[in-house]
Amino acid sequence: QPRPMTPEDLWAVKRVGAPSVSPDGKWAAVEVTTWDVPKDEGSSQLWLLATDGSKQVQLTHTPGKNAGPKWSPDGSLIAFTSKRAGDDGAQVYVIAPAGGEARRVSDMPMSPSGLKWGADSKTLYAVAWTWPDTPDDAGYRARDRAEKEKKAKAVVIDATVYRYWDRWLTDGKRPVVFGIDVAGGKHTNLMAGCKLHLPPYEPGADDYDVSPDGKELCFVGDASKDPGLDPNADLFALPIGRKGEPRNLTADNAASDTSPVYSPDGKSIAFLRQTTKFFYADRRRLMLHDGEKARELTADLDRSCSSPRWLPDGKRIAVEVEDAGYVRIAFVGLDGKRFADATKVSERSIDFARDVRMGVYLRNSFDEPPTVFAHGPGMKEPRQLSHFNDELVKSWKLGKVESVAIKGADDAAVQMWVFYPPDFDPAKKWPLVQMVHGGPHNGIMSEFSFRWNPQVWAARGYVVGVVNFHGSSGFGQAFTDSITGDYGTKPLADVMRATDWFEAKPWIDKNRMAAAGGSYGGYMMAWLNGHTDRFKAHVCHAGVYSYHSQMASDVVSGRQRALGAFPWLDMEKIDRQSAQRFAANFKTPTLVLHGEKDYRVPVTQGFEYYNTLRQKGVPTRLVYFPDENHWVLKPQNALVWHREVFGWLERFIGRGPTP
Ligand SMILES: CSCC[C@H](NC(C)=O)C(=O)N[C@@H](C)C(=O)N[C@@H](CO)C(=O)O
């Protein structure tokens, strides 16, 4: 008998990672993560999925994390990272697709990640953090020991960016690319002595590529004087195994150039380009560099591209594109011609078989956790390969999801998702929760969320509205950029107009409406509190309370563009966009939640908001997570989060239809 979905279900889902397909297209390797909630621990194992859909076979059994499988071009091995007995940190392992014992390839003092194979299947490449002045392992180990033995824990900072997300960047280590010999395990820092490094933010396989002949590394680096102050990520080509300086391939562009991938013949490099500085949501264009110059392939596409991947024919490049509520994989020809399916699901992480026409990718939607599918000639429809969650998904009684077009700020068309409770009866009156997304330049696509999952909220008996308000991604660049310099006004108007839309429905109980949001969505909670009393309760997770206080964020450069001014040049402008300015109006009971390791919206923002509400006598409660960052990622904490959030909503707007 199907039943409503619960927060526990989010931890019962087996979380499937990006597939890697065998060259002959017969198998896909994936990482599958399962969670032991009582132990608060995750474990990842590798599985093989037959692309004829006939079977799924577990390949690794060692407890812990076996991560990021990559199939070798000759088909003989699958590389992955794992921390096993005797390893200080994760190392590179290989395993035969037929199974058996995995073999440790690397023995590095650091933990490599972001693996890629060389075209000859003899070399693996990986990202690892090291000190620029410790070229060998002995030097690294000595420095590592010395750092750990230091009694003084004080950190002296003279960099612009010194921490990112939840990691301090003050130990002097920087991410670089290593080459690792698969047979002997010898590792070499390919960037030793070149003075550049990968961006120290979330370095990974997308930040570099190696030419098919193994003679050149192309990596993302930043040669500007102070990349924190004036960022300019560029692509650099560096000879491997011979002397040579890195050559800047994208010096003509002052903004960000990223995600290089060599064409199968090695003659060109596909990559992504932004042209507006200080704007993280600038449209990412798909570019092609022929060794001399670059040209854009998506000039007529008013959408942002990510994750470029060559098709083996060398004539097309696949990119992921957010488009009006869905993530689509678009195939872009070298002449700029494009093709993308218009399915009502989202698709990501495609990998192509080398020797046959076969693409394997992840499909997901609001109703379906990431699931592996294959598509190739002879298949009328994409074929489902993974079945880890079939039974669980079948056990859920999910409500209907609708996409509606409303008139938002300035009467402009704005898209909103509406989630109905599983037992929705339009003859009854239901409480409403407006769930406001973060960013602000994110969009809510039809994807399965493991944190803010609207279906879980709808299952509690709420109608849930999710507005892709002005500023959201996936609706064109002008829409994304339409809140620059005025972060609050249009998104507020959109949420209010969306709430009018709901209020006009006979099935909404106007007296039982609440709003909830995280990060920028949390900003919108405090902003709503200063501007309206129509909601009976708010939930504010990791919210930006004051844009003055965001000077303590890990990312500071760029806010002058977002907010329209540097604070010292127009303090009033920053103040006008800060929710704090409207504190005199605060009346709405608010649950505030925040994590200590949140460097994006520092935890003091949560304290400021909570303390203000408390001093004013507005009902409030603070849920503090000492071991979480901007997001709540641990199962036990996530269950507390949901218990507190749902408890708060129930206290002020109840749940289910009005009796
Ligand atoms: C496209 S992600 C948003 C990035 C944004 N960057 C900066 C420099 O502010 C950001 O981190 N915004 C947060 C305040 C936020 O709203 N985060 C969202 C999205 O990651 C969240 O849901 O956590």
Side-chain angles (χ1 to χ4, degrees), residues 165 280-281 437-442 451-452 473 487 518-521 542 544 547 550 553-557 559 600-601 630-631:
W165 197 248
Y280 71 80
H437 74 69
H441 305 302
N442 267 351
R451 292 179 294 111
W452 293 76
S473 54
Y487 250 28
S519 195
Y520 172 88
V544 178
Y547 274 108
Q550 274 300 81
S553 174
D554 59 344
V555 179
V556 176
S557 296
R559 292 203 191 276
R600 180 58 46 93
V601 181
H630 194 50
W631 297 335

Short mmCIF file of all heavy atoms in Angstrom, two decimals, residues 165 280-281 437-442 451-452 473 487 518-521 542 544 547 550 553-557 559 600-601 630-631, ligand 1:
data_model
loop_
_atom_site.label_atom_id
_atom_site.label_comp_id
_atom_site.label_asym_id
_atom_site.label_seq_id
_atom_site.Cartn_x
_atom_site.Cartn_y
_atom_site.Cartn_z
N TRP A 165 33.70 27.92 1.32
CA TRP A 165 32.59 27.03 1.66
C TRP A 165 32.71 26.53 3.10
O TRP A 165 32.12 27.07 3.98
CB TRP A 165 32.49 25.88 0.65
CG TRP A 165 31.16 25.18 0.70
CD1 TRP A 165 30.92 23.91 1.14
CD2 TRP A 165 29.88 25.70 0.31
NE1 TRP A 165 29.57 23.62 1.04
CE2 TRP A 165 28.91 24.69 0.53
CE3 TRP A 165 29.44 26.92 -0.22
CZ2 TRP A 165 27.55 24.87 0.26
CZ3 TRP A 165 28.08 27.10 -0.49
CH2 TRP A 165 27.16 26.07 -0.25
N TYR A 280 28.62 35.41 -11.02
CA TYR A 280 28.73 33.94 -11.08
C TYR A 280 27.66 33.33 -11.99
O TYR A 280 27.80 32.21 -12.43
CB TYR A 280 28.68 33.33 -9.67
CG TYR A 280 27.35 33.36 -8.96
CD1 TYR A 280 26.36 32.43 -9.25
CD2 TYR A 280 27.08 34.32 -7.98
CE1 TYR A 280 25.14 32.46 -8.58
CE2 TYR A 280 25.87 34.34 -7.32
CZ TYR A 280 24.90 33.41 -7.63
OH TYR A 280 23.69 33.43 -6.98
N ALA A 281 26.59 34.09 -12.25
CA ALA A 281 25.51 33.54 -13.08
C ALA A 281 25.58 34.04 -14.52
O ALA A 281 24.61 33.90 -15.27
CB ALA A 281 24.16 33.87 -12.47
N HIS A 437 13.75 29.41 -3.05
CA HIS A 437 15.08 28.83 -3.30
C HIS A 437 16.22 29.82 -3.05
O HIS A 437 16.02 31.03 -2.91
CB HIS A 437 15.15 28.21 -4.70
CG HIS A 437 15.23 29.18 -5.85
ND1 HIS A 437 16.34 29.96 -6.10
CD2 HIS A 437 14.35 29.46 -6.85
CE1 HIS A 437 16.14 30.67 -7.19
NE2 HIS A 437 14.93 30.40 -7.67
N GLY A 438 17.44 29.27 -3.03
CA GLY A 438 18.64 30.07 -2.74
C GLY A 438 19.27 30.62 -4.00
O GLY A 438 18.70 30.61 -5.08
N GLY A 439 20.49 31.10 -3.82
CA GLY A 439 21.24 31.64 -4.96
C GLY A 439 21.59 33.10 -4.77
O GLY A 439 22.59 33.42 -4.16
N PRO A 440 20.81 34.04 -5.34
CA PRO A 440 19.48 33.90 -5.92
C PRO A 440 19.48 33.32 -7.34
O PRO A 440 18.43 32.96 -7.85
CB PRO A 440 18.97 35.35 -5.97
CG PRO A 440 20.21 36.18 -6.10
CD PRO A 440 21.26 35.46 -5.32
N HIS A 441 20.67 33.22 -7.96
CA HIS A 441 20.68 32.83 -9.37
C HIS A 441 20.73 31.31 -9.52
O HIS A 441 21.59 30.77 -10.22
CB HIS A 441 21.85 33.50 -10.09
CG HIS A 441 21.85 34.99 -9.94
ND1 HIS A 441 20.80 35.78 -10.34
CD2 HIS A 441 22.77 35.83 -9.41
CE1 HIS A 441 21.08 37.06 -10.07
NE2 HIS A 441 22.27 37.11 -9.50
N ASN A 442 19.87 30.65 -8.82
CA ASN A 442 19.60 29.23 -8.99
C ASN A 442 18.25 29.13 -9.66
O ASN A 442 17.51 30.10 -9.72
CB ASN A 442 19.43 28.56 -7.62
CG ASN A 442 20.71 27.98 -7.10
OD1 ASN A 442 21.70 27.91 -7.80
ND2 ASN A 442 20.67 27.55 -5.87
N ARG A 451 17.69 17.45 0.24
CA ARG A 451 17.58 18.35 1.41
C ARG A 451 16.21 19.02 1.44
O ARG A 451 15.39 18.67 2.27
CB ARG A 451 18.73 19.36 1.38
CG ARG A 451 20.09 18.68 1.62
CD ARG A 451 21.27 19.61 1.58
NE ARG A 451 21.47 20.16 0.27
CZ ARG A 451 21.28 21.43 -0.05
NH1 ARG A 451 20.96 22.31 0.86
NH2 ARG A 451 21.48 21.84 -1.29
N TRP A 452 15.95 19.95 0.56
CA TRP A 452 14.63 20.60 0.54
C TRP A 452 13.79 19.85 -0.48
O TRP A 452 13.72 20.27 -1.64
CB TRP A 452 14.77 22.06 0.15
CG TRP A 452 15.48 22.92 1.12
CD1 TRP A 452 16.82 22.98 1.34
CD2 TRP A 452 14.90 23.88 2.01
NE1 TRP A 452 17.11 23.90 2.31
CE2 TRP A 452 15.95 24.48 2.75
CE3 TRP A 452 13.59 24.29 2.26
CZ2 TRP A 452 15.73 25.47 3.71
CZ3 TRP A 452 13.38 25.29 3.21
CH2 TRP A 452 14.44 25.86 3.93
N SER A 473 17.85 31.02 -12.58
CA SER A 473 18.54 30.55 -13.79
C SER A 473 17.59 29.67 -14.61
O SER A 473 16.63 29.11 -14.08
CB SER A 473 19.78 29.76 -13.39
OG SER A 473 19.44 28.73 -12.48
N TYR A 487 18.23 43.35 -4.92
CA TYR A 487 18.08 41.91 -4.70
C TYR A 487 16.69 41.52 -4.18
O TYR A 487 16.29 40.38 -4.33
CB TYR A 487 19.15 41.46 -3.70
CG TYR A 487 20.24 40.60 -4.31
CD1 TYR A 487 20.59 40.73 -5.66
CD2 TYR A 487 20.92 39.67 -3.54
CE1 TYR A 487 21.59 39.93 -6.21
CE2 TYR A 487 21.91 38.87 -4.08
CZ TYR A 487 22.23 39.00 -5.42
OH TYR A 487 23.20 38.20 -5.97
N GLY A 518 16.19 28.75 2.34
CA GLY A 518 17.56 28.65 2.81
C GLY A 518 18.46 29.58 2.03
O GLY A 518 18.25 29.82 0.84
N SER A 519 19.44 30.16 2.74
CA SER A 519 20.48 30.94 2.09
C SER A 519 19.88 32.23 1.52
O SER A 519 19.33 33.03 2.27
CB SER A 519 21.15 30.08 1.02
OG SER A 519 22.33 30.66 0.63
N TYR A 520 19.91 32.43 0.19
CA TYR A 520 19.18 33.59 -0.32
C TYR A 520 17.69 33.44 0.01
O TYR A 520 17.00 34.43 0.30
CB TYR A 520 19.38 33.76 -1.84
CG TYR A 520 18.48 34.84 -2.40
CD1 TYR A 520 18.90 36.16 -2.43
CD2 TYR A 520 17.20 34.54 -2.83
CE1 TYR A 520 18.05 37.16 -2.89
CE2 TYR A 520 16.35 35.52 -3.29
CZ TYR A 520 16.78 36.83 -3.31
OH TYR A 520 15.94 37.81 -3.76
N GLY A 521 17.21 32.20 -0.03
CA GLY A 521 15.81 31.95 0.35
C GLY A 521 15.58 32.34 1.81
O GLY A 521 14.49 32.77 2.18
N ALA A 542 20.15 29.24 7.25
CA ALA A 542 21.39 29.83 6.72
C ALA A 542 21.10 31.11 5.94
O ALA A 542 21.67 31.34 4.87
CB ALA A 542 22.13 28.82 5.85
N VAL A 544 20.75 35.02 4.71
CA VAL A 544 21.48 36.29 4.72
C VAL A 544 20.55 37.31 5.38
O VAL A 544 19.50 37.64 4.83
CB VAL A 544 21.83 36.74 3.29
CG1 VAL A 544 22.54 38.09 3.32
CG2 VAL A 544 22.67 35.70 2.58
N TYR A 547 23.25 42.38 4.35
CA TYR A 547 24.31 42.39 3.32
C TYR A 547 25.53 43.17 3.77
O TYR A 547 26.59 43.04 3.15
CB TYR A 547 23.76 42.84 1.96
CG TYR A 547 23.18 41.66 1.21
CD1 TYR A 547 21.82 41.52 1.04
CD2 TYR A 547 24.01 40.64 0.75
CE1 TYR A 547 21.29 40.40 0.40
CE2 TYR A 547 23.49 39.53 0.11
CZ TYR A 547 22.13 39.41 -0.06
OH TYR A 547 21.63 38.29 -0.68
N GLN A 550 27.59 40.38 5.14
CA GLN A 550 28.14 39.46 4.15
C GLN A 550 29.58 39.82 3.77
O GLN A 550 30.22 39.09 3.02
CB GLN A 550 27.25 39.38 2.90
CG GLN A 550 26.12 38.36 3.01
CD GLN A 550 26.59 36.93 3.23
OE1 GLN A 550 26.91 36.54 4.35
NE2 GLN A 550 26.61 36.14 2.17
N SER A 553 31.64 36.94 4.42
CA SER A 553 31.45 35.72 3.64
C SER A 553 32.78 35.27 3.03
O SER A 553 33.71 36.08 2.88
CB SER A 553 30.43 36.00 2.54
OG SER A 553 30.31 34.90 1.68
N ASP A 554 32.85 34.00 2.64
CA ASP A 554 34.06 33.52 1.95
C ASP A 554 34.22 34.20 0.60
O ASP A 554 35.34 34.43 0.14
CB ASP A 554 34.02 31.99 1.79
CG ASP A 554 32.81 31.50 1.01
OD1 ASP A 554 31.84 32.28 0.83
OD2 ASP A 554 32.83 30.34 0.56
N VAL A 555 33.10 34.51 -0.06
CA VAL A 555 33.16 35.18 -1.37
C VAL A 555 32.70 36.62 -1.19
O VAL A 555 31.54 36.88 -0.86
CB VAL A 555 32.26 34.46 -2.40
CG1 VAL A 555 32.30 35.17 -3.73
CG2 VAL A 555 32.68 33.01 -2.55
N VAL A 556 33.60 37.55 -1.41
CA VAL A 556 33.27 38.97 -1.24
C VAL A 556 33.32 39.67 -2.60
O VAL A 556 32.41 40.41 -2.97
CB VAL A 556 34.21 39.63 -0.22
CG1 VAL A 556 33.91 41.12 -0.13
CG2 VAL A 556 34.05 38.98 1.16
N SER A 557 34.37 39.37 -3.37
CA SER A 557 34.48 40.00 -4.69
C SER A 557 33.27 39.60 -5.51
O SER A 557 32.90 38.43 -5.55
CB SER A 557 35.74 39.54 -5.41
OG SER A 557 36.86 39.96 -4.70
N ARG A 559 30.23 40.99 -5.08
CA ARG A 559 29.00 41.47 -4.45
C ARG A 559 28.71 42.92 -4.87
O ARG A 559 27.56 43.34 -4.86
CB ARG A 559 29.08 41.33 -2.93
CG ARG A 559 29.08 39.90 -2.50
CD ARG A 559 28.63 39.66 -1.09
NE ARG A 559 28.94 38.29 -0.72
CZ ARG A 559 28.17 37.24 -1.01
NH1 ARG A 559 27.02 37.42 -1.62
NH2 ARG A 559 28.53 36.02 -0.67
N ARG A 600 29.89 30.58 3.73
CA ARG A 600 29.23 31.35 2.68
C ARG A 600 28.31 32.41 3.30
O ARG A 600 28.36 33.59 2.94
CB ARG A 600 28.45 30.40 1.76
CG ARG A 600 27.70 31.06 0.61
CD ARG A 600 28.62 31.87 -0.30
NE ARG A 600 29.83 31.19 -0.66
CZ ARG A 600 30.01 30.45 -1.75
NH1 ARG A 600 29.03 30.30 -2.61
NH2 ARG A 600 31.19 29.89 -2.00
N VAL A 601 27.47 31.96 4.24
CA VAL A 601 26.65 32.90 5.01
C VAL A 601 27.02 32.63 6.47
O VAL A 601 26.48 31.74 7.11
CB VAL A 601 25.15 32.65 4.77
CG1 VAL A 601 24.31 33.65 5.57
CG2 VAL A 601 24.80 32.75 3.29
N HIS A 630 27.02 25.19 5.05
CA HIS A 630 25.86 25.94 4.54
C HIS A 630 24.65 25.00 4.38
O HIS A 630 23.51 25.45 4.34
CB HIS A 630 26.28 26.54 3.21
CG HIS A 630 25.37 27.61 2.68
ND1 HIS A 630 24.95 28.68 3.41
CD2 HIS A 630 24.81 27.77 1.43
CE1 HIS A 630 24.16 29.45 2.67
NE2 HIS A 630 24.06 28.92 1.48
N TRP A 631 24.95 23.72 4.26
CA TRP A 631 23.91 22.71 4.07
C TRP A 631 23.96 21.70 5.20
O TRP A 631 25.02 21.47 5.77
CB TRP A 631 24.12 21.98 2.73
CG TRP A 631 24.02 22.87 1.54
CD1 TRP A 631 23.32 24.04 1.45
CD2 TRP A 631 24.61 22.67 0.25
NE1 TRP A 631 23.45 24.58 0.18
CE2 TRP A 631 24.23 23.75 -0.57
CE3 TRP A 631 25.41 21.67 -0.29
CZ2 TRP A 631 24.62 23.87 -1.90
CZ3 TRP A 631 25.81 21.78 -1.61
CH2 TRP A 631 25.42 22.87 -2.41
C1 LIG B 1 24.36 29.36 -8.09
S1 LIG B 1 24.64 28.99 -6.46
C2 LIG B 1 24.64 30.47 -5.55
C3 LIG B 1 25.96 30.98 -5.32
C4 LIG B 1 25.96 32.17 -4.40
N1 LIG B 1 27.23 32.78 -4.50
C5 LIG B 1 27.53 33.86 -3.81
C6 LIG B 1 28.88 34.40 -4.05
O1 LIG B 1 26.77 34.37 -3.05
C7 LIG B 1 25.65 31.69 -3.03
O2 LIG B 1 26.40 30.94 -2.45
N2 LIG B 1 24.54 32.13 -2.50
C8 LIG B 1 24.10 31.68 -1.22
C9 LIG B 1 23.79 32.88 -0.36
C10 LIG B 1 22.90 30.83 -1.49
O3 LIG B 1 21.83 31.33 -1.69
N3 LIG B 1 23.14 29.53 -1.68
C11 LIG B 1 22.15 28.64 -2.22
C12 LIG B 1 22.69 28.03 -3.49
O4 LIG B 1 23.87 27.37 -3.31
C13 LIG B 1 21.77 27.53 -1.29
O5 LIG B 1 20.68 27.00 -1.50
O6 LIG B 1 22.52 27.19 -0.40
#
